[in-house]
Amino acid sequence: MTIQRINPDTMHKNPAFTQVATVTNPSKWIFVGGQNGVDATGKVVGKDIGSQTEQAYKNVITALEAAGATLNDVFKMTIYLVEGQSLQAGFAAVQKVHQTQPQPVAPPTVSMMMVAGLANPDYLIEIEAVAVV
């Protein structure tokens, strides 16, 4: 079994976590760590759930691509949404990103949890993904 940890150059770097990891045995499993609505410098992109969801989802895509996968390789996503935020607004942002993809996106299994807060009080959403190629 081989584990590879990847921190794409176009994403925020933090010594406390890896952005994406793969496990090869014989399939390659890809685990994308919780992505927030931050840009490559670590700056939160907006104060609304729509802009943060769009960026977090784009970060998931960037991490997947760095590991040799696409959204269609994802079979499980976990979404943490801060209480009081609109699930519908977040879903609309995800659909906006889906429309920019080169092929239709097959929906993965999804678990969504409402939480009191995340690691940074400005974060409104966090998205994890598991893929296999």
Side-chain angles (χ1 to χ4, degrees), residues 8-132:
D9 291 336
T10 57
M11 294 181 73
H12 172 65
K13 308 260 185 311
N14 187 307
F17 57 83
T18 296
Q19 295 290 0
V20 60
T22 68
V23 177
T24 305
N25 184 23
S27 297
K28 182 175 172 180
W29 287 63
I30 301 160
F31 299 86
V32 178
Q35 298 299 312
N36 306 104
V38 298
D39 63 18
T41 68
K43 181 180 177 191
V44 177
V45 297
K47 295 184 182 207
D48 64 289
I49 191 62
S51 60
Q52 287 195 29
T53 300
E54 183 175 347
Q55 183 64 49
Y57 207 69
K58 287 178 179 179
N59 290 345
V60 168
I61 293 168
T62 298
L64 288 168
E65 289 173 350
T70 70
L71 284 172
N72 281 321
D73 297 311
V74 174
F75 68 88
K76 173 73 171 119
M77 276 192 171
T78 305
I79 301 169
Y80 303 90
L81 190 66
V82 171
E83 290 176 348
Q85 298 303 312
S86 168
L87 178 60
Q88 292 76 17
F91 181 70
V94 167
Q95 294 299 14
K96 180 179 170 184
V97 176
H98 279 190
Q99 293 171 355
T100 67
Q101 297 305 295
Q103 58 184 331
V105 177
T109 61
V110 176
S111 296
M112 200 285 299
M113 291 171 253
M114 298 299 274
V115 296
L118 295 164
N120 178 322
D122 293 333
Y123 295 168
L124 302 177
I125 190 165
E126 185 164 303
I127 304 172
E128 299 175 345
V130 181
V132 174

